[in-house]
Amino acid sequence: MCRNASDFTEFDVKSADTLRLLEAHRPIKIGIILVLGVMITLGNVAVVSVIYSAVPGWSRNSRYLLLSLTGADSAFGLIVMPLNLCVSLLKGYSDAPDPFCHVVAFFNATVYSTCMYTLASISVERYLAVFFPLQYSSMLTRRRVLLLIAFAWLFPPLLLVPISCPDGIIDVYFSTASLVCNPSYSSNMTYSLTLTGFIFFPCSALMTFCNLRLWCAARRQQMKLRRHASGRWTRPNVASRVLVPVMGAYYTCWTPCMVIMIYTAISGSSVPEWVEFVAVWLPTSNGFLNCVFYFWINQSFRKKFHTVLRRLCFGLCPNTKLGQDSVMATLNNNTVQERSSSVSSTCMLLPIATETYI
């Protein structure tokens, strides 16, 4: 059916209004992305400066997995954000696909998937440390932990390689709403839903099961100790302070993105501009929140960070005698703690060891 001239004029006016609106919102979006990138990068740089050395109460397996998580989170600020901002500046408002956008979308999806697999691996490690403390060292050997980390980093690229192919099984376009290179999920609904079935749902189910079991065990242990203490139990509720925020942040950051992915794959429709922008970039904020929940809440990590900070300050001001004495005293204290600590920090989730974990 032919369209008359007035229909085309109305369509052109709406397109012009949409472009003007996108142009007005673009600086705000870029500013938000840059702030997120700086927060994630600085947070993870601080984490790496501490975690490369032994932290009291953290086992070798915990350190390996947390270093893997730090690497995945750092990739948000060092790879995902620069690449998408670069494409945003080069492509402007053209939605036409190109090979470079396919590569950027591949890196986006790979980093997101690796982060989810790593979070699930950490939950499994903590679950085994708490519920199987005697068998932990034989069940989760150094080799198995490294294989788990390798799987988290190598399996997503194999699963997502079709996204990198310009003439592959799924289309990719530059989204002017979210300023990212996005797969067109509706162009291959089967593949899109398969990705959620292999990545989001298994990782979410595993994290929920492990953390829920840990939370229930911690609550039971706390209630027993409170009864034995005749109501005088004053230790903080570790389960609520650690496990609840971890799972709350995970579902808050990742669920909107997955819901929109499934919705667009099935319906073929788009969502409002700011809804898409928030849903797409919200998972990157989980890279900063992980620094808070997995590291800064931990008392041993904070003490180690203060030691590193004092050492840095002393290096900048070597004539400060008081600073030197403070650094040496702290280093000696941490050395004793590190040598005497042989229990994984994951075991400290139970209230009986609250002071050590938090």
Side-chain angles (χ1 to χ4, degrees), residues 87 91 94-104 164 166 172-174 181:
V87 176
K91 287 183 66 65
S94 173
D95 289 337
D98 64 64
F100 183 58
C101 207
H102 276 267
V103 174
V104 173
S164 65
V172 172
Y173 69 100
F174 176 74
C181 289

Side-chain angles (χ1 to χ4, degrees), residues 19-294:
L19 288 177
R20 281 195 294 268
L21 197 60
L22 289 171
E23 183 67 29
H25 293 165
R26 188 175 184 178
I28 301 174
K29 295 175 182 176
I30 292 177
I32 294 173
I33 294 171
L34 289 175
V35 169
L36 275 174
V38 171
M39 290 171 60
I40 293 170
T41 303
L42 291 180
N44 283 282
V45 165
V47 168
V48 171
S49 68
V50 175
I51 203 175
Y52 78 94
S53 61
V55 177
W58 287 11
S59 70
R60 181 180 57 188
N61 290 344
S62 296
R63 287 175 57 205
Y64 287 158
L65 288 169
L66 291 172
L67 277 172
S68 176
L69 178 64
T70 303
D73 288 340
S74 299
F76 282 129
L78 300 177
I79 297 178
V80 171
M81 293 180 177
L83 282 178
N84 286 279
L85 286 176
C86 178
V87 176
S88 173
L89 296 174
L90 292 176
K91 287 183 66 65
Y93 292 103
S94 173
D95 289 337
D98 64 64
F100 183 58
C101 207
H102 276 267
V103 174
V104 173
F106 168 75
F107 278 108
N108 293 347
T110 299
V111 172
Y112 280 35
S113 303
T114 299
C115 186
M116 279 192 275
Y117 276 122
T118 306
L119 288 170
S121 301
I122 291 174
S123 297
V124 171
E125 190 267 341
R126 295 189 168 187
Y127 176 82
L128 295 176
V130 172
F131 287 98
F132 303 96
L134 299 180
Q135 298 91 353
Y136 173 82
S137 57
S138 60
M139 294 175 66
L140 208 60
T141 61
R142 178 177 177 270
R143 181 173 178 272
R144 289 176 180 173
V145 170
L146 294 179
L147 287 174
L148 200 61
I149 294 173
F151 175 81
W153 284 89
L154 298 179
F155 181 69
L158 294 177
L159 191 64
L160 298 164
V161 70
I163 296 178
S164 65
C165 303
D167 298 321
I169 62 176
I170 189 168
D171 297 333
V172 172
Y173 69 100
F174 176 74
S175 172
T176 53
S178 56
L179 301 183
V180 298
C181 289
N182 257 344
S184 179
Y185 300 113
S186 59
S187 64
N188 193 329
M189 183 179 67
T190 303
Y191 177 69
S192 301
L193 297 180
T194 300
L195 291 181
T196 61
F198 273 96
I199 300 173
F200 177 71
F201 288 113
C203 292
S204 300
L206 199 58
M207 289 181 63
T208 302
F209 171 78
C210 293
N211 286 286
L212 186 60
R213 287 290 309 277
L214 290 170
W215 184 82
C216 292
R219 291 286 296 176
R220 287 196 300 268
Q221 185 71 8
Q222 188 178 41
M223 291 176 66
K224 290 180 182 178
L225 294 173
R226 184 175 295 168
R227 284 197 298 267
H228 289 306
S230 301
R232 294 190 301 272
W233 183 258
T234 58
R235 291 178 179 177
N237 187 345
V238 180
S240 298
R241 288 180 55 182
V242 180
L243 299 178
V244 173
V246 164
M247 291 307 301
Y250 173 80
Y251 279 110
T252 300
C253 292
W254 290 99
T255 303
C257 183
M258 294 299 111
V259 169
I260 287 180
M261 176 179 172
I262 295 172
Y263 170 76
T264 55
I266 296 175
S267 67
S269 304
S270 60
V271 296
E273 173 193 356
W274 280 102
V275 173
E276 179 181 340
F277 177 80
V278 172
V280 168
W281 285 104
L282 199 57
T284 61
S285 64
N286 194 221
F288 175 75
L289 294 176
N290 287 335
C291 296
V292 176
F293 297 137
Y294 283 96

